[in-house]
Amino acid sequence: MKYIQLTAILLFTAFIATAQTNNRYIQAVGQTTYKRDVKHYEATIRINNTNTYRNETQLTLEERKALFFEKVNKLGLNKNQVRIADTDENATQKTTEHVDYVVETTDEHDIEKIISLGKIDSWSYKLQEKVVYRPFANKSDIIGKALKDAKKNAEVIADVIGKKIGEVLVISDYNYEDRPGSAYYTKEERTYRIAVHFAIK
């Protein structure tokens, strides 16, 4: 019984948080779930020309780069998946201290392999990793579903106060994931959320 009461309280609190009224409009939140289409995964690996430990064998930057590509081959990765990072230092070739490589894959099973390239020795380490997403292919459908959900929530509130909802006055988009790249990756569905002001009749 206590569990049912607690659930009812939580649902009521969540409902109040998703809609509010004044004498001119009803504001309601609408949401829907979606999945992003992954373009590729990538990690930036730095090959450093300095020694971290005194007892470490001194190798040239070229030798360390060669060891890096040896491991690329051993892991079953293709050299075409590796490119020099688009940095000013790499582009002008003015530095002999390090070189940064970006390694890409469309296969999520390669992610751990790519990250391990930053653990060849103390002179190899991962600078960053991220997933690059394709642009929304069906964003209008996603927003349309969120709008329907907002309208349903607004109608419930309007019915409670003995009113009807009218035209849409304002739509605020609270989705912050419409970016081509992200520093994390998850297989879970994501939530697209909007807030809508409906006129009160």
Side-chain angles (χ1 to χ4, degrees), residues 25-30 146-147 150 168-172 194-198:
Y25 64 84
I26 292 175
Q27 176 181 307
V29 171
L147 182 57
V168 173
L169 300 176
V170 178
I171 298 179
S172 299
I194 61 174
V196 186
H197 289 188
F198 294 91

Side-chain angles (χ1 to χ4, degrees), residues 131-158:
V131 56
V132 178
Y133 295 100
R134 298 184 188 279
F136 277 109
N138 58 337
K139 189 171 183 178
S140 59
D141 293 338
I142 294 171
I143 294 177
K145 291 177 181 178
L147 182 57
K148 286 182 180 178
D149 185 54
K151 183 178 180 181
K152 179 182 67 177
N153 292 332
E155 286 173 341
V156 173
I157 293 295

Side-chain angles (χ1 to χ4, degrees), residues 60-87:
T60 66
L61 183 60
E62 291 302 316
E63 289 172 327
R64 293 177 177 183
K65 287 161 63 176
L67 289 175
F68 171 81
F69 280 101
E70 280 183 19
K71 187 167 184 181
V72 167
N73 290 331
K74 287 180 181 178
L75 291 171
L77 299 170
N78 194 306
K79 285 187 177 181
N80 293 332
Q81 295 174 248
V82 183
R83 61 178 170 82
I84 294 180
D86 298 327
T87 62

